[in-house]
């Protein structure tokens, strides 16, 4: 089956839904393709204790406030999943679940999107596929030698699985700190970070981070000096469970090890730590393989953009992958504005092509 449509949005997580909201408001015809069987994007796969780093009201998509979660200032991932499901329903966003886009090709005046659920010929495409499906592991000598359990952030669910075990958590970002805090009580934890962990002040949460990211983008856009953005403040939001473990003295980080061995980690000074499991909280890369036929990636694996629009393919917009597609665009509150800008540009493109 091949159908014609004005716009295909690839990805039905928060970014794809925000794009859908704005396309709908502008009267543009579109379909959203999502690889998963059910709503919620990456939030469906979060670990049990994950907490948002902003209160609900500051974690909202355009048009509809996230309702507070009873008994919690910082909602959990299940709350986000229900919010996203409700959002898609409320705005009647045409999301096709179980439709993974495999490839996007140029097809004369259109872009052809091939998916598990058929093909679409679109006048514009929004790619909003996130990063969760592309976990990143750093190259560390001996990484494949280790015989214990090897996991990434995406595989972690609950500390119960590791009770009494020796676990090495690698990574000094929010995932590393939250998972280390989660494990600190039940497991024998070694937390390893590239540099000394940098906790943000306790009263800083996602609200301030968003303001800082926006101020930075404005400064750069206006040609002013780089304000340094969020990274200049610290790396780790001290959400309550992290604060609690840190204050109990349970979150002491070791420097990064030099190599892995069959039984654990080894440092250059001869120190070793045996482990039953290693959890790599070492980040993600944008999931862009469906765009490979367009040949747009630069040496860093990114697609150069002006705002959200791909420089070398103006019918393609990228949404939600990180600051390079809009300030704080990989957050719930931050994706609204770039989604609006992308929808407006697409509507203008469709008008000129009419
Ligand atoms: C551990 C962690 C904690 C975070 N905490 C917060 C927080 O507290 N507050 C906050 O605002 N943000 C937070 N974020 C950041 C951000 O909100 C998420 O990364 C968010 O999930 C990104 O949304 P997205 O829609 O761009 O991508 P995703 O949520 O990953 O959605 C992408 C969707 O596209 C689908 N897809 C992928 N490839 C294809 C394809 N080829 N064809 C069709 N569909 C496809 C996927 O299945 C998925 O459903 C956190 C991120 C992480 C990793």
């Amino acid at each position: 089956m091949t159908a014609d449509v004005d716009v295909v949005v690839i990805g039905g997580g928060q970014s794809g839904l925000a794009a859908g909201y704005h396309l709908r408001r502008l009267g543009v015809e579109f379909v959203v393709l999502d690889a998963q069987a059910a709503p919620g994007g990456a939030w469906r796969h979060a670990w049990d204790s994950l907490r948002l780093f902003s209160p609900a009201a500051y974690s909202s998509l355009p048009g509809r406030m996230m309702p507070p979660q009873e008994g919690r200032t910082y909602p959990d991932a299940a709350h986000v999943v229900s919010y996203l499901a409700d959002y898609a329903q409320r705005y009647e966003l045409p999301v096709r679940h179980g439709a993974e886009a495999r490839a996007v090709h140029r097809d004369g005046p259109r872009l052809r999107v091939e998916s598990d659920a058929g093909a679409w010929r679109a006048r514009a495409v929004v790619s909003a596929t996130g990063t969760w499906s592309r976990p990143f592991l750093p190259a560390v000598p001996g990484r494949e030698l280790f015989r214990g359990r090897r996991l990434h952030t995406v595989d972690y669910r609950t500390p119960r699985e590791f009770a009494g075990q020796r676990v090495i958590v690698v990574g000094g970002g929010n995932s590393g700190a939250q998972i280390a805090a989660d494990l600190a009580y039940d497991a024998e934890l070694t937390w390893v970070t590239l540099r000394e962990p940098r906790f943000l002040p306790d009263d800083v949460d996602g609200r301030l981070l968003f303001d800082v990211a926006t101020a930075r983008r404005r400064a750069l856009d206006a040609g002013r000096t780089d304000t340094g953005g969020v990274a200049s403040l610290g790396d780790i939001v001290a959400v309550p469970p992290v604060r609690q473990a840190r204050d109990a003295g349970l979150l002491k980080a070791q420097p990064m090890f030099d190599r892995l061995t069959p039984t654990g980690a080894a440092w250059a000074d001869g120190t070793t730590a045996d482990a039953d499991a290693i959890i790599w909280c070492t980040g993600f890369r944008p999931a862009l393989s469906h765009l490979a036929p367009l040949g747009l990636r630069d040496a860093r694996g990114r697609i150069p953009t002006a705002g959200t629009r791909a420089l070398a393919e103006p019918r393609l917009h990228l949404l939600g992958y990180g600051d390079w597609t809009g300030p704080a665009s990989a957050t719930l509150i931050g994706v609204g504005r770039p989604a609006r800008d992308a929808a407006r540009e697409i509507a203008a493109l469709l008008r000129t092509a009419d």
Side-chain angles (χ1 to χ4, degrees):
M1 169 223 79
T2 303
D4 283 357
V5 66
D6 279 343
V7 180
V8 172
V9 177
I10 306 175
Q14 63 201 40
S15 302
L17 298 186
Y21 170 87
H22 283 293
L23 289 169
R24 168 76 87 223
R25 289 193 73 180
L26 293 166
V28 174
E29 178 207 23
F30 67 98
V31 62
V32 181
L33 307 182
D34 189 66
Q36 302 192 91
W43 297 104
R44 282 163 51 79
H45 307 288
W47 59 93
D48 297 352
S49 69
L50 183 140
R51 297 289 172 266
L52 290 192
F53 43 69
S54 316
Y58 295 88
S59 304
S60 300
L61 293 180
R64 171 152 167 72
M65 283 288 227
M66 181 186 285
Q69 184 174 22
E70 213 180 309
R72 279 209 177 115
T73 308
Y74 297 92
D76 62 19
H79 188 69
V80 185
V81 172
S82 359
Y83 168 70
L84 295 179
D86 175 68
Y87 188 89
Q89 216 173 18
R90 176 173 291 250
Y91 294 111
E92 296 179 357
L93 303 178
V95 185
R96 298 272 303 249
H97 285 288
E100 178 164 359
R102 302 284 178 186
V104 180
H105 296 273
R106 292 189 182 89
D107 187 359
R110 292 192 173 242
L111 292 170
R112 181 183 165 82
V113 180
E114 286 164 8
S115 87
D116 292 351
W120 276 264
R121 292 174 69 247
R123 297 163 74 195
V125 166
V126 177
S127 185
T129 47
T131 58
W132 192 260
S133 59
R134 277 201 63 210
F136 172 75
L137 291 183
V140 171
R143 196 179 81 198
E144 299 309 318
L145 295 177
F146 179 65
R147 287 198 299 259
R149 263 186 92 186
R150 296 184 264 179
L151 302 93
H152 186 270
T153 311
V154 296
D155 307 305
Y156 178 74
R157 285 291 166 279
T158 161
R160 285 195 298 279
E161 271 184 60
F162 301 94
Q165 295 186 14
R166 299 158 302 175
V167 184
I168 299 176
V169 173
V170 186
N174 284 295
S175 311
Q178 282 197 31
I179 290 178
D182 211 22
L183 287 163
Y185 304 89
D186 299 311
E188 210 177 292
L189 170 71
T190 305
W191 183 32
V192 176
T193 58
L194 263 184
R195 58 179 179 185
E196 189 64 27
R198 299 189 314 146
F199 293 95
L200 288 153
D202 287 1
D203 57 345
V204 167
D205 65 19
R207 289 171 282 197
L208 180 73
L209 299 184
F210 177 69
D211 291 346
V212 170
T214 307
R216 180 186 194 206
R217 173 55 56 203
R218 288 206 184 113
L220 291 175
D221 286 351
R224 296 197 300 271
T225 322
D226 190 346
T227 53
V230 171
S232 63
L233 297 177
D235 300 317
I236 301 166
V237 182
V239 290
V242 167
R243 206 179 305 164
Q244 212 172 22
R246 182 203 61 194
D247 293 349
L250 298 172
L251 276 189
K252 296 254 190 301
Q254 312 289 326
M256 184 64 186
F257 45 75
D258 294 282
R259 63 192 169 89
L260 287 176
T261 66
T263 54
W267 284 259
D269 65 2
T271 318
T272 57
D274 283 349
D276 301 298
I278 294 183
I279 306 177
W280 298 92
C281 302
T282 42
F284 299 86
R285 295 292 180 265
L288 299 174
S289 62
H290 55 291
L291 301 176
L294 300 174
L296 300 170
R297 288 212 204 198
D298 65 13
R300 287 190 303 167
R302 285 184 184 175
I303 295 177
T305 54
T308 58
R309 177 173 35 85
L311 281 179
E313 178 43 87
R315 294 168 294 181
L316 174 69
H317 286 255
L318 292 116
L319 199 56
Y321 297 103
D323 283 353
W324 56 290
T325 54
S329 71
T331 63
L332 285 152
I333 195 173
V335 74
R337 189 163 298 183
R340 183 197 63 191
D341 295 347
R344 282 183 181 166
E345 278 196 42
I346 288 171
L349 176 82
L350 298 184
R351 277 198 300 277
T352 56
D354 277 341

